[in-house]
């Protein structure tokens, strides 16, 4: 007993003698006129028909990708992948520190790529130690002026001197603590 679809299929084969479907087509063809690469009539997903050949669509070059800003598009066979930017980058156009759109904090542009900043060799310190030192000097100067004023009023020079020394010592300790914190934050990699 013939199945109902068999005569229909035979009729289709007579109507479309030059059309072959998938199984005997070249790798990327969905429908073809023969087994050769240049006999494609319709392509598999991810491919485009060009001169009867199926050519891989570069989704990255056609802006079909949907990669986040911290990733870049990498074209693959019939699709694409989103890959992470280099840690030196804030946004990128490809892999590696030479493809950065902008350098990440702690990195600087060296002309061809983003490179790690060596904070220990930088002349400008991130922490403003100079401003802290000047603040401490102003405080000690203020204490010295108070001492001179007190001596003029007749206080015991020894008492005033000890008071001034204690105040400047506490300012000095505070300054040294700040310098140690700054240095350890600045040069933790040294």
């Amino acid at each position: 007993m013939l199945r109902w679809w068999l005569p229909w299929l035979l009729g289709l084969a007579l109507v479309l003698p030059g059309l072959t479907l998938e199984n005997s087509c070249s790798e990327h063809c969905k429908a073809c006129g023969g087994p050769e690469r240049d006999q494609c009539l319709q392509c598999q997903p991810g491919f485009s028909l060009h001169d009867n050949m199926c050519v891989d669509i570069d989704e990255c070059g056609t802006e079909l990708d949907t990669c986040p800003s911290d990733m870049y598009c990498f074209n693959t066979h019939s699709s694409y992948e989103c890959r992470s930017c280099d840690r030196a980058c804030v946004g990128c156009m490809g892999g590696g520190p030479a493809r950065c759109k902008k350098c990440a904090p702690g990195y600087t542009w060296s002309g061809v790529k983003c490179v790690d900043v060596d904070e220990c060799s930088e002349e400008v310190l991130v922490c403003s130690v100079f401003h802290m030192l000047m603040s401490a000097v102003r405080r000690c100067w203020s204490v010295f002026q108070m001492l001179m004023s007190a001596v003029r009023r007749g206080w015991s020079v020894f008492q005033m001197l000890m008071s001034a020394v204690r105040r400047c010592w506490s300012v000095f300790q505070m300054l040294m603590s700040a310098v140690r914190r700054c240095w350890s934050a600045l040069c933790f990699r040294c």
Side-chain angles (χ1 to χ4, degrees):
M1 177 173 186
L2 288 176
R3 303 248 182 226
W4 64 270
W5 49 265
L6 191 56
W8 179 82
L9 188 59
L10 289 172
L12 182 64
L14 293 173
V15 173
L16 302 172
L19 178 66
T20 308
L21 298 176
E22 288 187 51
N23 41 2
S24 63
C25 295
S26 71
E27 182 181 3
H28 309 301
C29 298
K30 188 171 188 175
C32 60
E36 301 301 319
R37 283 184 47 166
D38 63 351
Q39 294 179 321
C40 294
L41 301 172
Q42 189 179 6
C43 298
Q44 298 286 353
F47 292 88
S48 174
L49 190 62
H50 182 71
D51 292 333
N52 289 346
M53 293 189 342
C54 291
V55 180
D56 182 36
I57 296 172
D58 183 359
E59 293 84 1
C60 302
T62 59
E63 298 183 12
L64 294 173
D65 71 284
T66 56
C67 295
S69 62
D70 63 337
M71 300 182 99
Y72 67 95
C73 182
F74 181 80
N75 191 50
T76 61
H77 191 68
S78 79
S79 189
Y80 70 96
E81 295 174 358
C82 291
R83 294 187 176 178
S84 294
C85 294
D86 192 271
R87 66 183 180 149
C89 303
V90 174
C92 63
M93 300 167 287
R99 303 297 314 262
C100 297
K101 290 182 180 176
K102 181 179 170 188
C103 295
Y107 292 85
T108 187
W109 188 253
S110 73
V112 293
K113 65 181 180 177
C114 292
V115 294
D116 187 16
V117 173
D118 182 5
E119 291 87 353
C120 299
S121 69
E122 292 288 309
E123 291 181 23
V124 178
L125 300 177
V126 175
C127 299
S128 183
V129 175
F130 176 76
H131 291 296
M132 287 188 285
L133 179 61
M134 291 308 295
S135 175
V137 167
R138 281 193 295 274
R139 287 183 189 171
C140 283
W141 180 251
S142 169
V143 169
F144 176 75
Q145 287 176 326
M146 285 176 20
L147 173 65
M148 294 309 293
S149 174
V151 167
R152 283 188 215 116
R153 282 187 264 143
W155 284 20
S156 161
V157 173
F158 179 74
Q159 286 176 325
M160 292 308 296
L161 182 60
M162 291 311 294
S163 174
V165 166
R166 279 192 297 274
R167 287 182 186 170
C168 280
W169 180 250
S170 69
V171 168
F172 176 75
Q173 286 178 322
M174 179 184 72
L175 176 64
M176 290 311 296
S177 173
V179 167
R180 279 192 296 275
R181 281 194 311 270
C182 180
W183 184 254
S184 66
L186 239 162
C187 293
F188 65 94
R189 293 182 249 172
C190 296

